[in-house]
């Protein structure tokens, strides 16, 4: 059983920063692809950033240069540092884990393939 718990969301003004944290517990696999996804009201969930077990990260074009994904494997913890936030970054942010193949190329866009999800944390940028 795997459990993911996100925290760190909140309300900020445009240009501000937030750091999201995802704490994992249970039967983690060391080679999983870990990622952050978001869903705005009325829109489909989308991939924001993923990171593989070697620390190689991939980002959606909309967040490149502003967001940084990182992980602490010893603590089973995933982070998302979000800088220069924009109103269009508003949404529910989810942490997810999936097969390592979904960290290859643009595969992380196939969010439905990720098998484990947290409950989400709300980010509001005004």
């Amino acid at each position: 059983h795997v459990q993911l718990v996100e925290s760190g969301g909140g309300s900020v003004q445009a240009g501000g920063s937030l750091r999201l944290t995802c704490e994992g517990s249970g039967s983690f696999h060391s080679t999983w692809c870990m990622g952050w996804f978001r869903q705005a009201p009325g829109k489909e969930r989308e991939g924001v950033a993923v990171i593989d077990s070697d620390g190689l990260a991939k980002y959606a074009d909309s967040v490149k240069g502003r967001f940084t994904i990182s992980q602490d494997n010893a603590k089973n913890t995933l982070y998302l540092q979000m800088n220069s936030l924009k109103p269009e970054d508003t949404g529910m942010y989810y942490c997810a884990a999936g097969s390592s193949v979904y960290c290859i190329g643009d595969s992380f866009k196939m969010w439905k393939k990720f098998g484990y999800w947290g409950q989400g944390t709300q980010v509001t940028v005004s």
Side-chain angles (χ1 to χ4, degrees):
H1 178 66
V2 174
Q3 186 173 18
L4 302 172
V5 179
E6 303 96 333
S7 62
S11 296
V12 296
Q13 292 187 336
S17 298
L18 284 173
R19 189 192 196 204
L20 306 184
T21 298
C22 172
E23 296 183 28
S25 61
S27 303
F28 263 79
H29 197 291
S30 61
T31 62
W32 280 356
C33 178
M34 300 293 298
W36 288 97
F37 300 77
R38 66 186 181 189
Q39 188 166 17
K43 295 187 177 180
E44 186 176 354
R45 193 170 299 188
E46 63 177 356
V48 175
V50 294
I51 188 167
D52 67 15
S53 57
D54 293 325
L56 181 64
K58 296 186 184 295
Y59 298 90
D61 290 342
S62 60
V63 306
K64 283 180 181 177
R66 301 188 297 122
F67 291 11
T68 302
I69 188 172
S70 61
Q71 61 188 355
D72 184 333
N73 290 330
K75 297 180 179 180
N76 282 345
T77 302
L78 185 71
Y79 305 98
L80 184 69
Q81 178 66 45
M82 305 186 294
N83 299 327
S84 302
L85 283 161
K86 303 176 181 180
E88 51 263 44
D89 294 318
T90 294
M92 186 69 77
Y93 282 69
Y94 299 90
C95 168
S99 169
S100 59
V101 299
Y102 300 118
C103 269
I104 299 173
D106 289 338
S107 298
F108 73 97
K109 295 180 180 180
M110 297 187 287
W111 61 268
K112 294 180 181 179
K113 297 292 187 178
F114 283 73
Y116 300 98
W117 292 86
Q119 83 290 347
T121 185
Q122 178 69 36
V123 172
T124 303
V125 185
S126 59

